[in-house]
């Protein structure tokens, strides 16, 4: 079903620019939404696909809401934006979730008909570039790295130069994107819920209602 929806996107245009917003979304908040919207507009993307992770390889499961809850909160948060979609690919995949598998899956659907832009915050891009085969990943997609309060983007410039020093299109793999600074994180939201501090205005009200109703992160 999802595959069909993705294939349908290609009926409208010869070549698509697709943004991929991966995350735990535990829970999704305005930092994620602003980042996706800015990437959509600044890079003239046709769609942004939010991809909630299954079992994240790097995260401890301590206060991790179920995959279904994280998926539903992502759907609720993005429902009103016609350019946002949510994919179940990582949620439905058995075993651990790796971005590289997701990129291969999407590449197989879109083939050469789309350019994939993996959208991340400054913290996540630094992690990705230290993976074991960052070059294979950069063959499958380009990166849009958004500024995020508390993370130094000068390291990105350094890693970019180091990784792509031999490529003549050095500058075409990783794009830095300035966004309005939002010092919001899911970790902080979870800790606020635990300690009874307010979370209003950090995330969409509908998501806030969902997590209160289901007593998540208590
Ligand atoms: P946690 O605190 O649980 O790690 P998080 O707020 O970092 O959650 P993730 O789901 O880990 O959210 O992040 C998904 C993606 O969104 C990552 O690429 C991350 O860098 C980016 N991101 C999250 N919050 C922001 C923000 N406030 N500004 C810019 N990018 C962000
Ligand atoms: Mg994070």
């Amino acid at each position: 079903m999802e595959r069909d929806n993705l294939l349908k996107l290609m009926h409208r245009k010869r070549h698509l620019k697709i943004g991929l917003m991966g995350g735990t979304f535990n829970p999704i908040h305005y930092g994620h939404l602003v980042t996706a919207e800015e990437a959509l507009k600044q890079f003239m993307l046709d769609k942004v696909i939010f991809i909630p992770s299954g079992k994240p390889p790097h995260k401890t499961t301590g206060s991790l809401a179920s995959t279904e809850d994280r998926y539903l909160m992502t759907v609720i948060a993005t429902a009103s934006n016609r350019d946002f979609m949510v994919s179940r690919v990582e949620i439905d995949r058995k075993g651990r979730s790796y971005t590289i598998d997701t990129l291969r899956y999407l590449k197989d659907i879109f083939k050469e008909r789309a350019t994939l832009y993996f959208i991340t915050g400054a913290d996540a891009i630094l992690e990705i570039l230290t993976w074991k085969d960052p070059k294979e990943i950069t063959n499958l997609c380009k990166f849009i790295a958004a500024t995020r309060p508390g993370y130094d983007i000068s390291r990105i410039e350094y890693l970019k130069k180091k990784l792509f020093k031999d490529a003549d299109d050095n500058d075409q793999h990783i794009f830095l994107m300035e966004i309005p600074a939002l010092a919001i994180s899911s970790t902080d939201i979870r800790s606020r819920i635990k300690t009874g501090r307010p979370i209003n205005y950090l995330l969409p009200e509908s998501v806030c209602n969902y997590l209160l109703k289901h007593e998540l992160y208590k």
Side-chain angles (χ1 to χ4, degrees), residues 125-137:
I125 186 79
L126 290 173
E127 259 176 50
I128 290 169
L129 295 180
T130 51
W131 286 352
K132 72 174 180 338
D133 196 356
K135 283 206 180 146
E136 183 190 353
I137 299 177

Side-chain angles (χ1 to χ4, degrees), residues 19 24 27 32 83-84 105-106 117 146 170 178 198:
T24 327
H32 302 126
D83 297 323
F84 289 173
Y105 160 85
L106 292 168
Y117 291 82
N170 189 328
E178 287 277 346

Side-chain angles (χ1 to χ4, degrees), residues 22-215:
T24 327
F25 304 130
N26 184 38
I28 188 164
H29 54 68
Y30 282 130
H32 302 126
L33 294 164
V34 166
T35 304
E37 178 71 5
E38 281 290 320
L40 186 82
K41 295 285 149 54
Q42 288 192 32
F43 291 82
M44 292 181 281
L45 307 178
D46 296 291
K47 286 272 172 209
V48 174
I49 307 176
F50 285 70
I51 310 175
S53 61
K55 293 196 200 87
H58 312 295
K59 299 215 176 183
T60 51
T61 47
S63 48
L64 185 66
S66 72
T67 50
E68 217 54 45
D69 280 331
R70 291 183 292 108
Y71 169 74
L72 286 175
M73 288 189 283
T74 310
V75 169
I76 291 168
T78 56
S80 61
N81 191 324
R82 51 170 41 226
D83 297 323
F84 289 173
M85 286 173 71
V86 186
S87 166
R88 294 188 61 91
V89 58
E90 294 200 1
I91 290 200
D92 290 341
R93 188 184 296 140
K94 300 222 162 41
R96 285 175 173 259
S97 217
Y98 291 100
T99 305
I100 187 79
D101 299 325
T102 304
L103 289 171
R104 286 190 189 123
Y105 160 85
L106 292 168
K107 193 77 192 173
D108 181 60
I109 292 177
F110 292 116
K111 309 261 178 337
E112 299 309 317
R113 297 274 311 276
T115 306
L116 304 177
Y117 291 82
F118 200 87
I119 306 162
T120 73
D123 56 319
I125 186 79
L126 290 173
E127 259 176 50
I128 290 169
L129 295 180
T130 51
W131 286 352
K132 72 174 180 338
D133 196 356
K135 283 206 180 146
E136 183 190 353
I137 299 177
T138 50
N139 284 335
L140 295 170
C141 69
K142 297 174 185 292
F143 286 92
I144 299 173
T147 48
R148 184 172 187 184
Y151 297 92
D152 176 13
I153 56 165
S154 63
R155 278 213 54 213
I156 302 175
E157 288 290 359
Y158 166 79
L159 279 170
K160 188 169 140 177
K161 287 212 177 76
K162 202 170 110 184
L163 282 170
F164 305 112
K165 63 177 184 312
D166 303 327
D168 12 313
D169 57 347
N170 189 328
D171 278 329
Q172 300 304 310
H173 292 286
I174 304 175
F175 303 96
L176 295 181
M177 171 176 71
E178 287 277 346
I179 62 166
L182 289 168
I184 304 175
S185 73
S186 303
T187 302
D188 179 54
I189 291 173
R190 293 192 303 272
S191 124
R192 283 169 170 272
I193 294 170
K194 251 204 178 79
T195 54
R197 284 174 295 145
I199 56 168
N200 296 333
Y201 315 120
L202 300 175
L203 70 180
E205 201 179 344
S206 49
V207 176
C208 194
N209 290 337
Y210 181 96
L211 60 83
L212 292 175
K213 175 173 169 183
H214 295 275
E215 300 188 3

